[in-house]
Amino acid sequence: MIDPAKSKEDLDLSYLKEMSGDSAEFMIEMLDTLVEQIPVYLEDLQKAVDAEDWKSASEFAHKVKPTFYYVGREDIRDYVQLIERNAKEGIDVHNIPQALVEIKQELKTILEQVGKAKTELQQQL
């Protein structure tokens, strides 16, 4: 499930800091990539869910899953992992569309948080 407390916090960029050697420039590039990729991956996932193509839905969920970890949203990564597993195994697939709605709603908050984090990082350049 999505942790409502996480929605109100700043993103945890510690993984990106570690991965980038604390390079603000590299972190900004990674955040830009996430902003571009996550909506595309979720749209692909939505199309697969709408078509009830559970094999593809599982694969698209697998693709998008790590992007949430990069910004410290393990709660959403775990929720996407549940979608991935359920789609792959054909379990509770009737719950997947609503889970995807929740993730997309939370994405709006995440994108705002990414924008704030980028502004702070740009000030370090």
Side-chain angles (χ1 to χ4, degrees), residues 113-125:
Q113 292 168 320
V114 166
K116 181 181 174 190
K118 274 182 53 181
T119 299
E120 292 170 5
L121 287 166
Q122 287 166 337
Q123 292 170 352
Q124 296 175 25
L125 295 177

Side-chain angles (χ1 to χ4, degrees), residues 28-71:
I28 290 168
E29 286 178 31
M30 288 296 295
L31 291 173
D32 284 342
T33 300
L34 294 177
V35 167
E36 291 171 17
Q37 285 183 342
I38 290 175
V40 172
Y41 288 158
L42 288 180
E43 189 57 36
D44 289 341
L45 177 55
Q46 183 70 60
K47 287 176 185 171
V49 168
D50 290 347
E52 296 185 4
D53 179 352
W54 303 120
K55 180 181 184 305
S56 293
S58 175
E59 291 168 0
F60 289 126
H62 180 76
K63 273 187 184 179
V64 76
K65 184 175 58 179
T67 58
F68 293 108
Y69 181 72
Y70 298 150
V71 292

Side-chain angles (χ1 to χ4, degrees), residues 74-90:
E74 291 85 358
D75 59 320
I76 297 179
R77 181 204 57 197
D78 294 347
Y79 204 27
V80 173
Q81 186 169 329
L82 179 67
I83 291 173
E84 176 189 4
R85 185 176 62 241
N86 287 358
K88 186 176 189 174
E89 297 174 7

